[in-house]
Amino acid sequence: MKSVLALLAFGAAFVPYLCHADEEYAPLVYAGELSGEEQPRVESAVVASPKLMDEEDLDFDNLDFDAMGEPTNSAAPSPVTKLPSSAPVEKAPEAPAPQVDKTKTLTDNLQANADSSVEDSVIPLPSTDETWISKLKSPLGSITADEETASDSAPQKGKINLESLVEKSKKTVRRSNASVFEISGAMLRMSFQQVDDILTRRGYRRTMQKLDVPNFIRWRNEDQCRASGVVGYERLENCVLQKAKKDGHQYVERAMYSKFKTREEIEVRFTSTFTNNKAYRISYKSEAATSISGNSQKQIYLRNIKVYDFWKKINQKYGTPDNKDDVIWGLGGNKPYLQAGTGKLVLEDPMLRELDYTRMSREDQKFMNTDLYSF
């Protein structure tokens, strides 16, 4: 009986020792300590055995707490061991956003952010050097004297001389292309049939049409008719016209159109068949502005109203004349032009008429050289 009691007393003394076993105990570390070698510490993934609290653990007066209410005493044992985890990844420092000044313009803000380094901005902005941003920022007063004295044809690299462009545009003489102008729908270089159809639709009536033959063709046909035995003025003239019509040299030289209700009249002149019988001169005349005669206040008032209405319509249709002294629109030189007067308009293409003369002259020289010379 005494032996049984001794065994129970020994067991009761041994159980508390097992309960207070070290929570960081590892067999490999313990074996290394026995052998005298240093072994790496292995964190245990098993929950430690419960530990009985002593009276010292219940003394909370000795603990220090931080601002968040957590105890700062790192020596206090943790009831649960932490599981092994990978090393935390360090976050890259966030780059500051581009600075935007609301008092500045968009161009100034772009320039300010573009000049900063790439690390200082979230999205690297492209360089604004030699771009439209820097050109817009460059003031007009920064133009040097050398640039002002430079010729307009010399290119300027990286800069736009806005002041010189404005001055150049002011000095540039604006010219109108009179070849696209029209009078009651009739335009230059139209055929007779086209002019006749358009003016007829506008209310005009053809009052006169003149056919003609180039002079050198007429003289050539006269010689041939006399050689064939034709005598008499009327027979000779009829023979000349028949030959010219047969050879395709007869053309409409002039046509007159009138609108009797409004007292308007248009005369159109055409070139020969050597330039396909095209209109090269269109003349317009209106008697409305000059039909009111007399010196009374009523007649002067009505006449002034008609003159004013005429020039108002001219300005609306053709714009400001290029030559205000002579009231002429055109590119100058031998090019088409339009000239206006009170109740009158003349639209002419001298270049087309000159081309017609040149072609007829070459044809005449070719005929004369063929007949006179045989070597």
Side-chain angles (χ1 to χ4, degrees):
M1 189 65 181
K2 292 181 179 181
S3 61
V4 174
L5 294 174
L7 289 174
L8 293 174
F10 178 78
F14 186 72
V15 168
Y17 176 78
L18 293 176
C19 293
H20 290 279
D22 189 4
E23 62 181 355
E24 295 182 356
Y25 169 76
L28 295 178
V29 178
Y30 181 73
E33 290 178 356
L34 293 178
S35 61
E37 298 178 359
E38 292 184 358
Q39 297 294 334
R41 301 288 293 179
V42 179
E43 295 182 0
S44 175
V46 181
V47 178
S49 58
K51 180 182 178 181
L52 299 178
M53 297 183 65
D54 299 333
E55 294 181 358
E56 296 178 355
D57 297 333
L58 298 176
D59 188 7
F60 296 100
D61 296 334
N62 297 329
L63 297 179
D64 296 332
F65 295 90
D66 55 6
M68 300 300 295
E70 299 292 336
T72 58
N73 188 7
S74 60
S78 176
V80 179
T81 58
K82 296 181 180 180
L83 297 176
S85 61
S86 59
V89 180
E90 296 183 358
K91 295 184 179 179
E94 295 183 358
Q99 299 296 329
V100 178
D101 190 354
K102 296 183 179 181
T103 60
K104 295 182 179 180
T105 61
L106 174 62
T107 304
D108 296 334
N109 284 314
L110 289 175
Q111 186 73 23
N113 287 279
D115 294 339
S116 61
S117 60
V118 179
E119 292 82 10
D120 295 338
S121 60
V122 177
I123 301 176
L125 298 175
S127 177
T128 57
D129 297 337
E130 301 299 332
T131 59
W132 62 273
I133 298 177
S134 61
K135 292 175 183 178
L136 288 178
K137 283 183 64 62
S138 61
L140 295 178
S142 63
I143 301 172
T144 61
D146 296 338
E147 294 176 354
E148 292 180 355
T149 56
S151 60
D152 296 336
S153 59
Q156 299 180 4
K157 298 180 179 179
K159 294 183 179 180
I160 296 180
N161 196 338
L162 298 179
E163 189 176 10
S164 64
L165 292 178
V166 172
E167 293 296 331
K168 185 177 179 181
S169 63
K170 290 181 179 179
K171 295 179 181 179
T172 302
V173 179
R174 186 188 65 85
R175 293 290 185 178
S176 302
N177 186 9
S179 61
V180 298
F181 288 175
E182 50 86 14
I183 298 177
S184 295
M187 300 178 66
L188 296 172
R189 296 178 181 263
M190 277 188 173
S191 64
F192 167 74
Q193 192 63 39
Q194 290 174 334
V195 172
D196 188 73
D197 293 342
I198 289 177
L199 294 181
T200 302
R201 290 198 299 267
R202 294 291 181 96
Y204 288 87
R205 293 183 57 186
R206 179 159 42 105
T207 57
M208 189 269 291
Q209 176 181 344
K210 180 183 177 182
L211 301 176
D212 199 0
V213 179
N215 288 333
F216 71 96
I217 298 294
R218 180 185 297 275
W219 299 332
R220 184 193 307 173
N221 293 342
E222 286 180 357
D223 294 340
Q224 293 177 357
C225 289
R226 288 193 182 98
S228 62
V230 177
V231 294
Y233 177 78
E234 294 181 358
R235 291 182 179 181
L236 187 62
E237 184 68 18
N238 189 26
C239 180
V240 169
L241 294 179
Q242 291 294 331
K243 281 184 171 292
K245 188 175 182 180
K246 181 180 179 181
D247 298 336
H249 291 146
Q250 190 180 32
Y251 64 96
V252 179
E253 189 268 340
R254 185 160 56 104
M256 298 285 295
Y257 298 88
S258 298
K259 185 184 288 188
F260 300 103
K261 184 177 180 180
T262 57
R263 296 184 179 182
E264 294 175 295
E265 187 178 62
I266 294 179
E267 179 187 10
V268 185
R269 292 182 178 268
F270 300 89
T271 60
S272 67
T273 55
F274 290 93
T275 50
N276 299 324
N277 197 205
K278 300 295 183 180
Y280 75 92
R281 181 185 174 93
I282 304 173
S283 302
Y284 170 86
K285 182 180 179 181
S286 175
E287 297 180 359
T290 58
S291 61
I292 302 177
S293 59
N295 295 326
S296 65
Q297 293 184 356
K298 177 181 178 180
Q299 292 169 335
I300 294 175
Y301 174 75
L302 295 176
R303 186 163 55 245
N304 290 338
I305 286 180
K306 289 184 177 294
V307 172
Y308 174 77
D309 291 341
F310 175 81
W311 286 110
K312 180 180 179 181
K313 187 174 182 181
I314 290 293
N315 185 63
Q316 291 175 351
K317 188 170 185 179
Y318 304 113
T320 305
D322 301 325
N323 186 349
K324 296 183 179 179
D325 296 333
D326 298 330
V327 195
I328 295 177
W329 294 261
L331 300 175
N334 205 28
K335 297 179 176 60
Y337 71 91
L338 172 69
Q339 187 172 10
T342 302
K344 297 180 181 179
L345 286 173
V346 176
L347 181 60
E348 187 175 2
D349 188 357
M351 185 169 54
L352 181 59
R353 181 59 173 164
E354 188 67 24
L355 178 62
D356 188 49
Y357 282 144
T358 302
R359 290 186 178 181
M360 287 192 295
S361 177
R362 289 178 180 177
E363 180 67 20
D364 190 22
Q365 291 177 359
K366 180 181 178 181
F367 174 78
M368 294 297 295
N369 292 337
T370 303
D371 278 355
L372 293 179
Y373 305 103
S374 59
F375 58 85

